[in-house]
Amino acid sequence: MSTPDLASGPGNGPAVVLVGPMGVGKSTVGELLAARLGTAFRDSDADIVAAQGRSIAEIFVDDGETHFRGLEREAVRRALHEHTGGVLALGGGAILDDATRAELTGLPVVYLSMEVGEAARRTGLNTARPLLAVNPRQQWKLLMEGRRHLYTEVARVSVATDDRTPEEVVDAVLDALELTSPPAQELRIPGTTPGKENPV
């Protein structure tokens, strides 16, 4: 197993890119994974929210999905080029864009998967999500039927998250990509105390 070159130069891209459906836990897993690798975490959806000063749902309602996808395409492109050596999570629909899928070619992309029963258990298929406003369980299944092949197309490896804790998913990602984390003393996170449990 090898350690990723986290000090690589600009243009080499993130150490890990996480893709998968809404509610699969990309942000939670991404933050834990970044801590294990001693690097930084970034979320393209969070970048959009910060830049726009509005939630994703508000952007959908106010401006429509087409406008949001344009913002998403640019946010992902920027993050892929800026977040060298870090862990990057993409929004669930980012892989719908042809240019984004092309940008992901050759990168260490991990598809975090889950089944509809797991999605319902974790999120309740929250109707606050703009694409799941009506009959959320059925809409989630339809979305996945249209996206699953795109996730697998861009991914170097797939990791199932069903019945796994976030820590177990991180272990599976590291194993699948054949990555190792640095020694424990290098994994100090600001604001945490060595040897004590810290909430995630």
Side-chain angles (χ1 to χ4, degrees):
M1 303 233 300
S2 59
T3 301
D5 181 8
L6 300 181
S8 56
N12 291 336
V16 183
V17 180
L18 300 176
V19 301
M22 60 188 80
V24 77
K26 296 184 294 291
S27 294
T28 300
V29 170
E31 289 174 352
L32 290 171
L33 182 59
R36 289 278 293 274
L37 292 172
T39 188
F41 172 71
R42 184 165 174 174
D43 183 316
S44 64
D45 273 356
D47 287 353
I48 296 169
V49 170
Q52 296 294 309
R54 296 178 290 166
S55 70
I56 301 298
E58 288 172 326
I59 297 170
F60 263 79
V61 170
D62 295 343
D63 303 317
E65 182 176 1
T66 299
H67 178 74
F68 171 75
R69 295 303 175 197
L71 297 174
E72 181 175 55
R73 180 188 311 111
E74 178 58 24
V76 171
R77 187 197 66 78
R78 186 181 303 113
L80 288 173
H81 288 272
E82 292 177 355
H83 201 53
T84 301
V87 176
L88 175 64
L90 304 188
I95 43 76
L96 295 171
D97 185 75
D98 293 344
T100 294
R101 294 200 304 279
E103 290 260 18
L104 293 172
T105 301
L107 294 179
V109 179
V110 179
Y111 166 34
L112 299 182
S113 69
M114 68 177 173
E115 298 303 320
V116 65
E118 184 77 359
R121 184 182 71 79
R122 291 186 191 179
T123 69
L125 292 177
N126 190 343
T127 55
R129 297 178 182 272
L131 294 180
L132 302 178
V134 178
N135 193 351
R137 191 181 182 98
Q138 182 63 23
Q139 287 300 314
W140 192 92
K141 291 176 69 175
L142 291 173
L143 283 175
M144 282 304 299
E145 287 172 7
R147 296 179 180 182
R148 187 175 287 106
H149 71 287
L150 298 177
Y151 290 133
T152 57
E153 174 188 319
V154 301
R156 182 176 298 178
V157 297
S158 297
V159 172
T161 65
D162 303 80
D163 300 318
R164 281 175 162 167
T165 66
E167 292 79 7
E168 289 170 337
V169 175
V170 169
D171 288 338
V173 169
L174 291 170
D175 287 344
L177 289 178
E178 299 186 331
L179 299 178
T180 56
S181 53
Q185 63 267 26
E186 297 180 16
L187 296 180
R188 289 287 304 278
I189 304 172
T192 65
T193 303
K196 292 187 177 180
E197 292 285 338
N198 289 284
V200 176

